[in-house]
Amino acid sequence: MAGRAPVLRVGHWLLVGVVLVWSLAPYLWTLATSFKTERELYQFPVTYWPHAPTIVNYVAVFTQNPFGRFLLNSALVTVISTVACLFIAALAAYAFARLRFRGREALLVGLLIVAMIPLITVIVPLYILVRNLGLLNSYAGLVAPYVTYALPVAIFILTAFFREIPQELEEAALIDGCTRLNTLWRIIAPLAAPGLITAGIIVFVYTWNEFLVALTLTSTNEVRTITVGIALYRGEFTFPWGVISAAVTLATIPIMVLILLGQRLVIRGLTAGAVKG
Amino acid sequence: MALPREARRPFSTSVAPLRRRTLADREDWLGRLMLAPALVYVVALVGVPFALALALAFSSARSGSLEFSWVGLRNFWTILPDPQFHRALWNTLRFTLVSQALVIVLAVTAAHVLSAAFVGRRLVRFLLLLPWAAPVALAAIGWTWIFDSTFSVINWTMLWLGLTKRWLYWFGEPQLATAAIIIVHVWRMFPFATVITLAGMSAIPQEISEAAVIDGAGFWRRFFQVNLPLLLPIITVAVLFGVVFTSTDLSVVYLLTRGGPYNSTHVLSSLAFQRGIFGGDLGQGAAVALFLLPVLVVVAILMLRTARRAEVGA
C-alpha cells in the first residue's frame, strides 16, 4: 500500500472511514446525546455536536434510577455464570479432545444441535420450570440458564484449543505418574490459558448482553440486569433520552474494555470454534 | 492395589494387552464422568424444556393454571390460517435473507478494503468487533433514538443533503419499519462477518495470489476465481451464524417496533413472546416458536457439512 499513488491511498482511507463510521454510528450518536442538555436534545435543528457539554445525565443515571443496582446485578450474574461455565466446559472439552470413549462423536453432534435450539422455543417451559422451583427473581434462576446456554460455545472453543496442545507433553506427564486430572490441572490448564481466556470473554459477552431470559425471568429491579433494566425504563419514565444514552454508554464500557484487551484471542477463538467445531 | 487385581485375573496371558485395556476402560469411565456436569445441565435446562415445549404446543395451557390438557392439533389449526402468523413467518424469512445477503456483499467488500496493510489496522479491527460484542438490546435502544419520529438524526441529515423532501416516520409506515429493522440487523452482523472474513483471508497463502498475478489475472478475475472460492467456507460459517442470530432474535423487533405498525413487523419470536408470555396463551406461544425449528435444522446440517469440508481441506 505504501508504494501506491497518493490518490489511491486517500481513497483507501476514505473507504476505511466509511466502514468505521457505519459500524460505530449508533455509539457515536448515543455518546453525543449523553452529553447534551435537555434543551439541546429536544430542539430544532438537531445538533451533531453538543454545544454545551454537560455531565448532568451521568449524574442522573446514578442518582435517579436504580442503575447502580442493575450494574451490580449484571456483574454478579455474569461473573458467576462465566466461572461456572468455564469450569464445566473445560472438563467436557478435555474429554472430547483427549479421551476415547464410545459415543463421543454422537455427543458432539448432539451438542451442536442443542446449540441450535433457539431460546424463544424453550422460554415458556423454562419460565414454568424456574417458577415451580421458586427461583423467579433470583440470581440462581438466571445463572442456571446462562451457564447452560453458553456451554456449547465454550465447549467448542475449548475443544479446538485443547486439540492444539501437543499430546507428547501429556503422555510424558502420565508416564511420570501424573493422574489424568492432575495432568489437566498442571499441564493442560496453563497451556490452555489463552483458550480459557477466549472462551471466558465470549461467554461473558453473551451473558452480559442477554435479553430474553432476563426479561422473562425477572420482574423486580432488585435482580434485573442492565440490558432489561435500561430497556424498561424507557417505558417507565417519559423518554429521558439524555439519561438513557448515558446509561447505554456506561453499560457498554465493560464490554469495550474486555474486547480491547482480548481482541486477538477473540478473533482466533471465533474462527477456531467456527471452522473446527 | 495393583497386585490383588492381577491376582483376580488368573487367565491373563501377557501383561501388555491387559494394561492397555484397563487404561482404555478408565478413559471411558473418566470421559463420561467429565462430561456428566455438562450433560446434566444441558438435559435439565434444554432437553426438558424442549420436551415440555413440544407438549405445550399440543395443550391448552395458560399462564394462570398449569394444567396440561391435551388438545391435539388445535393450536396449529388456530395459528395456521391466522394472517398475523403468515406475516410473522414471511417477515422472519424476509428479514433474515435480505439482511444476510447485504451482510455478505458488505463484509467481503470491507474485508478487501481492510486487508491491506495500513497504520492503525489493529485499532480498526477492534472497533469493528464492537457492534457484535456490545449488547444488541442497548444498541437497539440507541437506534430507536436515531429513528425517532421528531428528532431523527437520519431525517435531519437527509433533508440537509436534499436526499428526501418529506419527513420519514420510520416506525409509522410498514415499509420504513421493515427497512429500519433490516438496517439494524445488517449493522449488527456485518462487522462480525468482516472480521471473520479477514481472518479467512489471512489464511490464504500469498503465493496463490502472486501466481495468479504472474499468470496475468486482473483484480476482478483474481477476486471471483481465486479469492472468493477459497473464502467460501469461512463466509458460509459467518452467514450461518448470522442466519441463526437474525431468525431467532427477539430484541431488535421488540425494542424497535414492538411488531408495529399495525402488527406488520412481527417475526416468529416476537409473535411467540406476545402470544405466550404477554397474552398468557402458553400453548399457542409454544406452537408459534416451533416453526423456527425447520430453518435451524437446515442451518445445523449445513454447518456440520462445512465444518467437515474445512477439516478435510486443512
Side-chain angles (χ1 to χ4, degrees), chain A residues 27 74-75 77-79 81-82 119 146 201-215 225-229 231 248 251-256 258-259, chain B residues 129-141 187-188 245 249-252 255:
Chain A
Y27 295 116
S74 264
V77 167
T78 307
V79 169
S81 305
T82 307
L119 260 177
Y146 285 165
I201 291 176
I202 289 172
V203 171
F204 189 100
V205 165
Y206 279 176
T207 312
W208 185 269
N209 297 354
E210 206 287 327
F211 184 72
L212 175 60
V213 170
L215 180 69
T225 57
I226 193 115
T227 44
V228 173
V248 167
T252 311
I253 289 174
I255 296 291
M256 276 184 73
L258 211 59
I259 296 295
Chain B
L129 273 177
L130 274 186
W132 166 77
V136 67
L138 298 184
I141 294 171
W187 168 80
R188 150 94 208 226
F245 176 82
D249 179 68
L250 169 86
S251 51
V252 171
L255 291 168

Side-chain angles (χ1 to χ4, degrees), chain B residues 94-303:
Chain B
R94 199 163 60 129
F95 295 170
T96 307
L97 293 180
V98 173
S99 64
Q100 292 315 302
L102 289 170
V103 164
I104 298 177
V105 175
L106 287 172
V108 173
T109 314
H112 270 81
V113 171
L114 296 177
S115 70
F118 61 90
V119 187
R121 190 164 69 152
R122 281 197 60 186
L123 180 71
V124 170
R125 285 194 189 189
F126 156 67
L127 293 172
L128 273 184
L129 273 177
L130 274 186
W132 166 77
V136 67
L138 298 184
I141 294 171
W143 277 103
T144 49
W145 177 233
I146 290 177
F147 288 124
D148 192 78
S149 56
T150 21
F151 301 100
S152 165
V153 64
I154 296 186
N155 284 1
W156 275 103
T157 310
M158 280 170 72
L159 280 173
W160 183 55
L161 293 173
L163 290 172
T164 177
K165 285 200 177 64
R166 69 187 184 99
W167 190 258
L168 305 169
Y169 291 97
W170 288 95
F171 302 139
E173 296 166 36
Q175 283 93 344
L176 286 175
T178 299
I181 289 169
I182 289 175
I183 287 173
V184 175
H185 275 308
V186 170
W187 168 80
R188 150 94 208 226
M189 283 316 296
F190 130 78
F192 172 77
T194 307
V195 169
I196 295 230
T197 312
L198 270 173
M201 281 170 85
S202 61
I204 296 178
Q206 195 72 42
E207 294 83 44
I208 295 181
S209 216
E210 279 163 10
V213 174
I214 291 168
D215 287 350
F219 174 80
W220 293 110
R221 181 117 191 226
R222 265 190 346 254
F223 175 73
F224 279 107
Q225 297 192 348
V226 179
N227 284 342
L228 207 55
L230 285 171
L231 283 177
L232 210 56
I234 204 152
I235 294 174
T236 314
V237 169
V239 167
L240 291 178
F241 264 117
V243 168
V244 171
F245 176 82
T246 315
S247 62
T248 60
D249 179 68
L250 169 86
S251 51
V252 171
V253 169
Y254 179 83
L255 291 168
L256 245 54
T257 66
R258 298 223 170 203
Y262 328 114
N263 290 320
S264 63
T265 57
H266 264 305
V267 287
L268 287 178
S269 55
S270 65
L271 192 68
F273 192 78
Q274 201 195 32
R275 298 261 166 104
I277 306 270
F278 279 155
D281 195 334
L282 300 179
Q284 228 189 82
V288 170
L290 279 186
F291 280 86
L292 275 170
L293 287 181
V295 183
L296 297 164
V297 168
V298 172
V299 173
I301 291 169
L302 286 176
M303 243 177 177

Side-chain angles (χ1 to χ4, degrees), chain A residues 12 44 46 48 100-101 149 209, chain B residues 27-28 45 113 133 156-157:
Chain A
H12 184 255
F44 296 111
V46 168
Y48 291 95
R100 282 165 297 142
F101 54 92
Y149 287 94
N209 297 354
Chain B
E27 253 183 48
D28 207 49
L45 288 165
V113 171
W156 275 103
T157 310

Side-chain angles (χ1 to χ4, degrees), chain A residues 10-204:
Chain A
V10 170
H12 184 255
W13 273 109
L14 276 178
L15 282 173
V16 173
V18 169
V19 171
L20 274 188
V21 167
W22 163 244
S23 52
L24 295 181
Y27 295 116
L28 295 175
W29 188 240
T30 306
L31 194 66
T33 306
S34 73
F35 286 110
K36 285 181 182 172
T37 58
E38 179 117 26
R39 225 184 78 215
E40 192 176 348
L41 269 178
Y42 304 111
Q43 80 175 17
F44 296 111
V46 168
T47 53
Y48 291 95
W49 196 254
H51 286 313
T54 167
I55 56 160
V56 286
N57 294 319
Y58 287 89
V59 174
V61 156
F62 283 106
T63 51
Q64 291 172 9
N65 304 297
F67 180 81
R69 183 82 215 182
F70 296 150
L71 206 59
L72 179 73
N73 292 338
S74 264
L76 277 174
V77 167
T78 307
V79 169
I80 297 170
S81 305
T82 307
V83 171
C85 179
L86 276 189
F87 182 74
I88 297 172
L91 287 176
Y94 181 79
F96 278 133
R98 279 292 193 267
L99 304 178
R100 282 165 297 142
F101 54 92
R102 231 179 301 149
R104 187 177 66 170
E105 293 305 309
L107 278 173
L108 254 175
V109 173
L111 211 60
L112 180 73
I113 292 169
V114 165
M116 285 283 152
I117 294 178
L119 260 177
I120 187 75
T121 311
V122 290
I123 194 68
V124 169
L126 199 63
Y127 172 80
I128 296 174
L129 265 178
V130 171
R131 189 177 67 176
N132 286 5
L133 290 171
L135 291 176
L136 279 186
N137 291 317
S138 73
Y139 289 144
L142 286 177
V143 168
Y146 285 165
V147 168
T148 314
Y149 287 94
L151 266 179
V153 184
I155 292 176
F156 287 137
I157 293 172
L158 286 176
T159 307
F161 270 92
F162 282 162
R163 278 193 181 140
E164 281 175 25
I165 296 170
Q167 189 112 33
E168 292 78 29
L169 281 174
E170 263 176 281
E171 279 163 6
L174 285 174
I175 288 170
D176 286 351
C178 218
T179 64
R180 276 274 177 192
L181 283 176
N182 244 324
T183 316
L184 177 62
W185 183 243
R186 295 252 172 90
I187 312 285
I188 304 288
L191 285 172
L196 287 168
I197 295 170
T198 308
I201 291 176
I202 289 172
V203 171
F204 189 100

